[in-house]
């Protein structure tokens, strides 16, 4: 099973995904895709997501049984920690006063 989550996606991307997947909730798409279709859809999403965010969760031969890809403005970054995929929040950049941005 493949899951794709779109946040603040440009017009047309959600409609394009409904050709291949079911939209279970706003911006959440679920389906059984071949690797070829999944890779082609991801190429399209990664190039057209702009300031939005796209997350793809796909089957993988690892400890958890799944892998994640992200594109666009990442609010969370997937990191591999000894074979486990965890999500890390990006660090806030300090502002001109040296304090963390809010």
């Amino acid at each position: 099973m493949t899951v794709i989550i779109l946040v603040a996606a440009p017009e047309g991307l959600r409609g394009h995904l409904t050709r291949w997947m079911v939209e279970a909730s706003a911006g959440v798409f679920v389906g059984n895709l071949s690797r070829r279709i999944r890779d082609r859809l991801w190429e399209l999403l990664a190039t057209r997501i702009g300031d939005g965010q796209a997350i793809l969760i796909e089957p993988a031969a690892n400890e958890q049984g799944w892998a994640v890809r992200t594109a666009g403005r990442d609010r969370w970054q997937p990191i591999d920690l000894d074979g486990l995929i965890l999500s890390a929040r990006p660090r806030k950049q300090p502002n001109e006063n040296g304090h963390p941005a809010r």
Side-chain angles (χ1 to χ4, degrees):
M1 179 185 305
T2 301
V3 177
I4 296 177
I5 303 164
L6 298 180
V7 177
E11 288 186 34
L13 280 184
R14 286 175 58 183
H16 186 77
L17 281 180
T18 59
R19 296 176 188 168
W20 303 98
M21 306 175 84
V22 173
E23 190 169 11
S25 185
V28 179
F29 299 85
V30 181
N32 288 315
L33 305 174
S34 69
R35 180 164 194 81
R36 179 178 174 206
I37 297 297
R38 187 171 53 239
D39 289 344
R40 285 198 159 177
L41 279 175
W42 185 249
E43 286 176 22
L44 173 81
L45 289 173
T47 58
R48 293 185 48 199
I49 196 63
D51 286 337
Q53 182 183 20
I55 303 162
L56 179 137
I57 301 166
E58 62 187 326
N62 61 19
E63 188 101 3
Q64 290 172 297
W66 55 273
V68 65
R69 305 184 209 183
T70 62
R73 286 198 165 171
D74 291 333
R75 292 163 182 88
W76 295 83
Q77 285 283 3
I79 57 170
D80 186 321
L81 186 65
D82 293 332
L84 294 177
I85 300 169
L86 302 174
S87 292
R89 177 177 254 170
R91 291 183 182 201
K92 296 187 185 227
Q93 298 297 323
N95 59 21
E96 60 275 356
N97 299 332
H99 300 297
R102 295 183 186 193

